Amino acid sequence: MKRVSIKDVAREAGVSATTVSYVLNRTPSETISSETTQRVLEAARKLNYVPNLNARSLSSRKSNLIGVLIPQTEPGKELMFSNPFYGELLSSIEYHARQNGYHLLLSGTQEDQDYVNIARNRGVDGIIIVGTYPGRNLEALKAIDAPIVLVDSYVKDTSFHTIGIEDREGARIATEYLIRMGHRDIAFISGSLREHGVNSKRYQGYCDALQAAGIPLDEQAIYSGTVDYEYGIEAAYEYMRRGQKQTAAFVTADVISMGLIKGALEQNLRIPEDVSIVSFDDVYLAQMSYPSLTTIHQNIPEKGAMAVQLILDAVQSGRKEHTECILPLRLIERDSVKRRGGDA
Amino acid sequence: MKRVSIKDVAREAGVSATTVSYVLNRTPSETISSETTQRVLEAARKLNYVPNLNARSLSSRKSNLIGVLIPQTEPGKELMFSNPFYGELLSSIEYHARQNGYHLLLSGTQEDQDYVNIARNRGVDGIIIVGTYPGRNLEALKAIDAPIVLVDSYVKDTSFHTIGIEDREGARIATEYLIRMGHRDIAFISGSLREHGVNSKRYQGYCDALQAAGIPLDEQAIYSGTVDYEYGIEAAYEYMRRGQKQTAAFVTADVISMGLIKGALEQNLRIPEDVSIVSFDDVYLAQMSYPSLTTIHQNIPEKGAMAVQLILDAVQSGRKEHTECILPLRLIERDSVKRRGGDA
DNA sequence: TTGAAAGCGCTAACAG
DNA sequence: CTGTTAGCGCTTTCAA
C-alpha cells in the first residue's frame, strides 16, 4: 500500500493541498465552505489518509511529542528495572500525554549529553527529566527552547519547571514517627548520598528528627548504597556485621525495604519485632510486602499528571515563567513498625 | 539560541550542504577529502550543530524510531501499572534500542486503531506490539510497511514476526509439579480467558497436566478475573466462599499470586501450608514475595532484546520473511509450595 | 472561499 | 572529490 499524502487527498477531492491542510487542521483563520469540507473529509477517509507528523512538525515547528528522560540509576542496569517508582511514574506520564494527543519519546541515559541532543534532534515540544542532579551540563539544556520539567530534582534554575516533594520534611516525619514509637537507635538506609540529591535531603530530615529528640547522630547507623532490592539485602547483612545496634530503620525507598526484609529473614531477624521499618515512596509494592510497609506516601500518578500538565500549559501559553510544584506527603501506617518500650 | 541548520554549517565550512551531509553521515558511496572532512567537523562542533532527525527522516524515509505499544490491560488503569512484567520488558527494549541508536516512541492504547496511526504518523522504522489478540483489525497493521514484532501474541500471520514462550507447556509443567508434590485439587487462577489469549493457552496446559494424571477437571476450581494484585486478593476471598476445596493453585501471573497471598493472609490462610502456589513470569517481585514464589521463569530482558533485534535485522536486511521465536521456560523452586501426603 | 508558491532541514541522484 | 537540483509531506503567507 503506497503511502498516501496530502496531495493524493487533494486530487481525489478536486481541491488544492492547501485546502486539505486547512480542513484537516481546522485552521481557524481560514474559512472553508462546508461543502468543500465534506468532500475533503470524504476523500481522506476513502484513501485512508494519515498525516505525516514528521513533515508537519518540520514545517510547523510543533511535534506533539514529549521527551521523557529517565536516568539509569545504575549504569548497565536497564532503566526502570531496579525501582518500580519509575514504572509507575512513566505510566502516568504516558497516560496523560496520550489523553492530550501527545506521544512520548522515551529514553534512558547514561550521560546527559544525550538529553540535549535527543530533544533538539526530534524537535520535542517539551521534556520531562526525572532526577537530575544540579551541576551537570545544564547550560546545554537551557539552550533548548522547549519547556523542561525537572521531576524530583533539586536543581534551582528559573529556566526549568520543577515538580517535587518535601523530601526533607518527609524523612523527618518518618524518623520522628519511629522515635514516637519508642525507638532511639534508628538506622538510615538509602541510595548514594550525592550532594543536592534527593537522598541527601532525606538524610537531613532524618538528622532533623534525631536532633529534635536529642538523639546523637551515630555514623555507624548510616547505610548508603544503591536504590535497589539487592542493596536492601546487603544492608541487612551489613547490619549484622555492625552488631545489630539499631531497633529501627528509616529507609529511603520501598524497594530497598523489600530487600532489607528479605535479608533480615535470611538471618532470622523478624520485622518488625527485631527491626522496625519506615520507608519512602509508597510504591504499590509497599502493600504487597510482608509485613506491609509503613511508609511515606507520595502521589506518584499525580506527579506524572502534573509534569505533563506543566508542559502543556507552557506550550499553549508560550509563557516562560517557571513553575515550582511541591506535592504533599503523608505517613501511611502499615505493619512494619512495632511500638517499643513504654516511653511512647 | 537560534536553531543551527546544515546550511549554517556549510557556510561556516565554506562547502555545500550536500558535503556536510556526506561528512556527517559518512555516506559510504561518497568520498570526501580528509581536509574537507576536518573543516566540516570543526564547523559543526563550533556551531554546536545537531541534525534535525525529523527532516532527515522525511527525506531519507528512515526515522531510527521504534514504536512500542503496550496495551492497557484494564481500561482506565494506567499502562504498566498493574503488572511489573511490562515495566521489565519495556526497560529492556529501551536499553537495547538505545544501544543501537534508536529511540522509542511509547504508547499505550485502548483501541488498536491507534496502533496503526501512530506508526504511520511518525514513520517509525519498526513496531513492537505487546500482547494483541488475533482477530483485531490486523488488516490495517499489515498495511504498514515497517516490520512488526508481536510479543506474546498468538496471532499467526506471516506479516508479523513473533516472540513468545511455550505458554501451554509452561502451565503444564507448573501444574504437573504441583501434582508431583502430592496435590490433586488444584485451582487455576488467571486473568480473562480470551480465546487465543495467553491465559487460554495456559489453561490448556493446566488441563493437560490434570488429564495426564487422571484428575477430573473441576469447574469450581477455575478462577478468572484480571491480571492485577487486586484480583489476587479477591480470588482468595472467592476461594473461601467456594469452600476451600483446593490445596494448591496454579496462578498465571506473579502479580496475581502476590495478591492471592495477601488475601489469604487476611483470612488466616497460610501459604504454602494451607495452599501451595506455583505461578508464572518470574517477575522480580517473585523473589520479594513472602513466601517467595515458586514460578515458571521466563527471560523477560531477553524477550525485549530479541524484539529489538528482530526489528533491526528486518530493517537492515530489508527481508520480509517472518521469524518466530519461542523462548525457553523453566520452573524455579522457591517457597510457595509444600509437599503433601506421601504419594510423591 | 480557495490556491500558488515558498520553505521547514535534510538526503539523493546526477553532474561535473 | 564536490556541488546542483530535486524533492520528502506538510504549513503558511499572500494574493486572487
Side-chain angles (χ1 to χ4, degrees):
Chain A
M1 189 210 247
K2 225 194 95 283
R3 212 138 171 22
V4 11
S5 85
I6 201 172
K7 281 186 194 161
D8 301 315
V9 178
R11 193 176 318 115
E12 177 77 22
V15 297
S16 75
T18 312
T19 304
V20 175
S21 174
Y22 286 154
V23 170
L24 265 30
N25 297 316
R26 292 185 184 63
T27 314
S29 61
E30 308 294 327
T31 155
I32 307 288
S33 76
S34 76
E35 197 237 337
T36 312
T37 302
Q38 283 316 311
R39 275 220 314 291
V40 170
L41 258 24
E42 174 100 11
R45 185 153 14 84
K46 180 174 168 198
L47 298 181
N48 192 11
Y49 169 71
V50 180
N52 178 325
L53 298 190
N54 281 328
R56 175 177 292 176
S57 108
L58 188 58
S59 79
S60 72
R61 318 186 130 277
K62 172 124 181 31
S63 64
N64 270 59
L65 214 49
I66 295 178
V68 176
L69 295 157
I70 296 189
Q72 302 274 98
T73 16
E74 302 301 304
K77 278 214 178 175
E78 291 152 22
L79 203 55
M80 313 145 297
F81 191 78
S82 56
N83 193 344
F85 172 83
Y86 292 118
E88 294 186 32
L89 182 63
L90 177 60
S91 203
S92 171
I93 291 175
E94 193 281 335
Y95 178 78
H96 290 96
R98 182 153 39 86
Q99 296 305 314
N100 289 281
Y102 277 73
H103 291 156
L104 246 45
L105 190 61
L106 176 66
S107 180
T109 61
Q110 3 246 25
E111 274 312 312
D112 13 21
Q113 183 48 46
D114 296 342
Y115 285 21
V116 182
N117 287 353
I118 289 175
R120 296 175 61 194
N121 275 336
R122 302 273 184 199
V124 298
D125 290 341
I127 308 177
I128 296 174
I129 301 180
V130 183
T132 354
Y133 293 94
R136 306 254 242 157
N137 65 347
L138 296 169
E139 292 313 313
L141 270 182
K142 287 194 222 169
I144 300 177
D145 64 353
I148 299 181
V149 175
L150 267 25
V151 177
D152 287 334
S153 164
Y154 280 92
V155 170
K156 291 293 176 208
D157 189 309
T158 53
S159 310
F160 310 118
H161 303 277
T162 58
I163 295 180
I165 52 177
E166 294 273 8
D167 286 288
R168 184 169 179 167
E169 176 62 5
R172 215 211 82 242
I173 293 172
T175 312
E176 188 200 60
Y177 174 77
L178 248 13
I179 295 172
R180 207 157 6 100
M181 295 303 274
H183 297 273
R184 290 189 62 86
D185 295 302
I186 302 172
F188 173 85
I189 305 179
S190 86
S192 71
L193 290 171
R194 287 180 65 158
E195 200 181 0
H196 295 292
V198 156
N199 288 327
S200 301
K201 299 289 175 187
R202 295 183 190 172
Y203 175 66
Q204 288 171 12
Y206 162 80
C207 294
D208 292 346
L210 292 190
Q211 189 166 12
I215 302 174
L217 190 64
D218 177 8
E219 285 271 324
Q220 283 295 100
I222 309 304
Y223 299 75
S224 171
T226 55
V227 184
D228 53 30
Y229 183 70
E230 286 68 30
Y231 177 64
I233 297 180
E234 196 187 313
Y237 282 85
E238 178 66 18
Y239 168 76
M240 295 301 273
R241 256 179 265 124
R242 292 194 192 170
Q244 309 182 46
K245 297 265 180 44
Q246 298 83 27
T247 63
F250 165 54
V251 182
T252 62
D254 291 333
V255 233
I256 302 182
S257 293
M258 296 288 290
L260 189 65
I261 289 174
K262 178 67 158 202
L265 206 71
E266 290 175 0
Q267 298 167 93
N268 296 313
L269 278 169
R270 304 271 321 204
I271 309 290
E273 288 75 8
D274 298 321
V275 182
S276 288
I277 295 177
V278 173
S279 71
F280 211 108
D281 284 345
D282 199 20
V283 146
Y284 66 94
L285 271 184
Q287 45 171 319
M288 300 192 189
S289 153
Y290 181 77
S292 60
L293 297 173
T294 291
T295 191
I296 298 292
H297 171 87
Q298 59 168 316
N299 192 335
I300 304 175
E302 178 64 17
K303 235 179 191 172
M306 213 133 188
V308 172
Q309 199 52 55
L310 281 183
I311 301 266
L312 261 38
D313 289 348
V315 167
Q316 289 204 339
S317 69
R319 278 184 284 103
K320 288 288 182 188
E321 319 122 35
H322 89 127
T323 317
E324 201 177 321
C325 300
I326 304 286
L327 265 36
L329 248 27
R330 69 174 198 277
L331 183 85
I332 305 275
E333 295 191 54
R334 293 209 186 84
D335 306 325
S336 61
V337 173
K338 190 194 160 210
R339 166 163 256 127
R340 196 167 172 277
D343 78 347
Chain B
M1 190 209 247
K2 227 196 95 281
R3 221 150 163 14
V4 11
S5 85
I6 201 172
K7 281 185 193 160
D8 301 315
V9 178
R11 193 176 321 114
E12 176 77 22
V15 297
S16 76
T18 311
T19 305
V20 175
S21 174
Y22 286 154
V23 170
L24 265 31
N25 298 317
R26 292 187 184 62
T27 314
S29 62
E30 307 296 326
T31 155
I32 307 287
S33 76
S34 76
E35 197 237 336
T36 311
T37 302
Q38 283 316 311
R39 273 220 315 291
V40 170
L41 258 25
E42 174 99 12
R45 186 153 13 85
K46 180 173 167 201
L47 298 181
N48 193 13
Y49 169 72
V50 180
N52 178 325
L53 298 190
N54 280 329
R56 175 178 292 175
S57 106
L58 189 58
S59 82
S60 71
R61 317 186 131 281
K62 174 130 181 21
S63 63
N64 270 59
L65 213 50
I66 295 178
V68 177
L69 294 157
I70 296 189
Q72 302 274 99
T73 16
E74 302 302 305
K77 279 214 177 175
E78 291 152 21
L79 202 58
M80 310 147 297
F81 191 79
S82 56
N83 193 343
F85 172 83
Y86 292 119
E88 296 186 32
L89 182 62
L90 177 60
S91 200
S92 170
I93 291 174
E94 192 281 335
Y95 178 78
H96 290 96
R98 181 154 38 86
Q99 295 305 313
N100 288 281
Y102 277 72
H103 290 156
L104 247 46
L105 190 60
L106 177 66
S107 180
T109 63
Q110 4 246 26
E111 275 313 312
D112 13 24
Q113 183 49 45
D114 296 342
Y115 283 24
V116 181
N117 288 353
I118 290 175
R120 294 175 61 194
N121 275 335
R122 304 275 183 197
V124 299
D125 289 342
I127 307 178
I128 297 174
I129 299 180
V130 183
T132 353
Y133 292 94
R136 307 253 242 157
N137 67 345
L138 297 168
E139 293 313 313
L141 270 182
K142 287 195 223 170
I144 300 178
D145 64 352
I148 298 180
V149 174
L150 265 26
V151 177
D152 286 335
S153 165
Y154 280 92
V155 171
K156 292 292 176 209
D157 189 307
T158 53
S159 311
F160 310 119
H161 302 276
T162 57
I163 296 180
I165 53 178
E166 294 272 8
D167 286 288
R168 182 169 181 168
E169 175 62 6
R172 214 210 84 242
I173 293 172
T175 311
E176 187 200 61
Y177 174 78
L178 247 13
I179 294 171
R180 209 159 5 100
M181 296 303 274
H183 297 272
R184 289 188 65 83
D185 295 302
I186 302 173
F188 173 83
I189 304 179
S190 86
S192 71
L193 289 172
R194 288 180 63 158
E195 199 181 3
H196 296 294
V198 156
N199 288 327
S200 300
K201 298 290 174 185
R202 294 182 191 172
Y203 175 67
Q204 288 171 10
Y206 162 81
C207 294
D208 292 346
L210 292 191
Q211 188 166 14
I215 301 174
L217 190 61
D218 177 8
E219 285 273 324
Q220 282 295 99
I222 309 303
Y223 299 75
S224 171
T226 55
V227 183
D228 53 29
Y229 184 71
E230 286 69 31
Y231 178 64
I233 297 180
E234 194 188 314
Y237 281 86
E238 178 67 19
Y239 168 77
M240 296 301 274
R241 253 179 266 126
R242 292 194 193 170
Q244 309 183 47
K245 296 266 181 43
Q246 299 83 28
T247 62
F250 164 54
V251 182
T252 62
D254 291 333
V255 233
I256 302 181
S257 292
M258 296 288 290
L260 188 66
I261 289 175
K262 178 68 159 200
L265 205 71
E266 290 175 1
Q267 298 168 92
N268 294 312
L269 279 169
R270 305 271 319 205
I271 310 287
E273 287 75 9
D274 298 321
V275 182
S276 288
I277 295 177
V278 173
S279 71
F280 211 107
D281 283 347
D282 199 20
V283 147
Y284 66 95
L285 272 183
Q287 45 171 320
M288 300 189 189
S289 153
Y290 181 78
S292 60
L293 298 173
T294 291
T295 191
I296 298 293
H297 171 87
Q298 61 167 314
N299 192 336
I300 304 176
E302 178 66 17
K303 235 178 191 172
M306 214 132 189
V308 172
Q309 198 54 53
L310 281 183
I311 301 265
L312 262 38
D313 289 350
V315 168
Q316 288 204 339
S317 69
R319 278 184 285 103
K320 289 287 183 191
E321 319 124 35
H322 89 128
T323 317
E324 201 177 322
C325 300
I326 305 286
L327 264 36
L329 247 28
R330 68 173 199 278
L331 182 86
I332 304 276
E333 296 191 54
R334 293 209 185 86
D335 306 325
S336 61
V337 173
K338 188 191 162 214
R339 167 164 256 126
R340 195 166 173 280
D343 78 347

